Amino acid sequence: LDLLRAEMPGLVIENCASGGNRHEPSIVGRCAMTSFSDACETVDIPIIAGNLQYLLPARKTLVWAVLRTDDTRRRLAYSMAATILGRMCLSGDIHQLSPEQWQMVEEGMALYREVFEIIRDGRARRVGDPVLNYHHPKGWQAVVRHHDDQLLVVVHHFEFLDAEVGMPAGSWRIKKVFQSGSRPPEIDGNTLRCFADNAFSGQVIWLTEQE
C-alpha cells in the first residue's frame, strides 16, 4: 500500500475487507475509504454503522444500503438514513425503482449533499438503548453529530417506540427532516422528540442554532 501511494499519489484505495479484521489504524490510515461491513441488506446496518462512529472517521466510512423494488417508504427511509452515518453508497435494484420510490431516494441524496460538511467535520456520539441482538434489536438508537452551530441527528426505531434525544445546550431549530412518517420531530428544551412511523423506521433531522 505504501508503494502504491508513493508511485501513484492520486490513487484512491478502498479498504473493502471489513470482515477481515482490517478496521485497524495501520490499514485505515493507508486507505482513502473503508467499507463499514458486509451487512448491506439487513436491519443491523445502522447498528454497525453507529458503533463504528468511535472507530472510523465518518468521511472514510462507506455505508452501503441495498435497495429493492419491494421496499416500502419506511424501509427506504430506514436504509437511506443509515447511509448518512458515513459516505452514502447505494446498490440493488436502483434502475428498477418506481418513480415514487426514486423520489424518496433523491430526497435522501439531496439531504446528504447538504450536510456533508457535518458528516466530514463533526464529532459524533451514539445514544439510545443498548443493542443485545443485532438481528432482532429492541428499542431505538440515535447518532448525534455536532459541528459548529449545526446538529445532524440520525434516528432508527427498532420497535414502534418514540425516541427522546438529548442535544447540546443551545437554541436549536429544525432546518430539514427526512423520514417516512407524517409527524415531524419536536424540540422540547434541549430534548429532540422523534416519533416512530412503525418498527424499523428511520429519520434524519438537521438542526441549526439560532442567533
Side-chain angles (χ1 to χ4, degrees):
L1 287 174
D2 289 338
L3 178 61
L4 285 171
R5 294 175 64 203
E7 295 289 337
M8 294 176 284
L11 182 65
V12 176
I13 302 174
E14 176 190 348
N15 173 27
C16 63
S18 55
N21 296 323
R22 292 189 179 178
H23 280 168
E24 54 83 30
S26 70
I27 299 296
V28 172
R30 287 172 164 85
C31 297
M33 298 177 288
T34 294
S35 183
F36 89 118
S37 174
D38 292 330
C40 301
E41 204 166 355
T42 51
V43 297
D44 54 355
I45 294 173
I47 302 170
I48 298 169
N51 289 341
L52 286 174
Q53 301 297 308
Y54 300 110
L55 181 64
L56 301 175
R59 66 183 182 275
K60 282 192 170 190
T61 308
L62 304 180
V63 182
W64 285 87
V66 177
L67 309 180
R68 296 300 184 192
T69 54
D70 59 355
D71 282 350
T72 62
R73 280 181 54 85
R74 188 171 77 245
R75 175 65 198 200
L76 287 172
Y78 186 90
S79 300
M80 294 294 292
T83 65
I84 293 182
L85 293 172
R87 295 179 71 118
M88 179 183 289
C89 299
L90 304 178
S91 183
D93 304 328
I94 297 291
H95 299 292
Q96 287 78 46
L97 297 179
S98 70
E100 293 76 16
Q101 289 174 313
W102 186 244
Q103 180 181 359
M104 189 159 200
V105 173
E106 285 191 321
E107 289 176 9
M109 291 192 296
L111 177 59
Y112 174 81
R113 294 187 189 101
E114 290 185 283
V115 300
F116 80 92
E117 289 184 350
I118 311 174
I119 299 171
R120 183 190 65 196
D121 301 326
R123 297 181 64 86
R125 61 184 175 90
R126 183 203 177 278
V127 297
D129 301 314
V131 177
L132 304 180
N133 187 322
Y134 279 27
H135 295 293
H136 304 283
K138 302 294 183 182
W140 59 271
Q141 79 164 31
V143 173
V144 182
R145 187 172 294 279
H146 190 186
H147 176 57
D148 292 339
D149 59 349
Q150 300 182 88
L151 284 180
L152 186 64
V153 182
V154 181
V155 184
H156 283 86
H157 308 264
F158 307 125
E159 297 180 274
F160 199 175
L161 295 173
D162 297 336
E164 294 190 353
V165 182
M167 300 185 295
S171 179
W172 298 100
R173 69 176 182 87
I174 295 173
K175 183 169 184 176
K176 189 165 289 188
V177 177
F178 173 77
Q179 62 179 21
S180 57
S182 58
R183 186 175 180 184
E186 298 175 356
I187 296 175
D188 182 7
N190 287 325
T191 299
L192 179 66
R193 303 186 188 279
C194 304
F195 306 103
D197 182 20
N198 208 317
F200 298 105
S201 57
Q203 299 167 283
V204 183
I205 304 99
W206 178 16
L207 303 100
T208 58
E209 193 167 12
Q210 303 180 77
E211 298 182 356

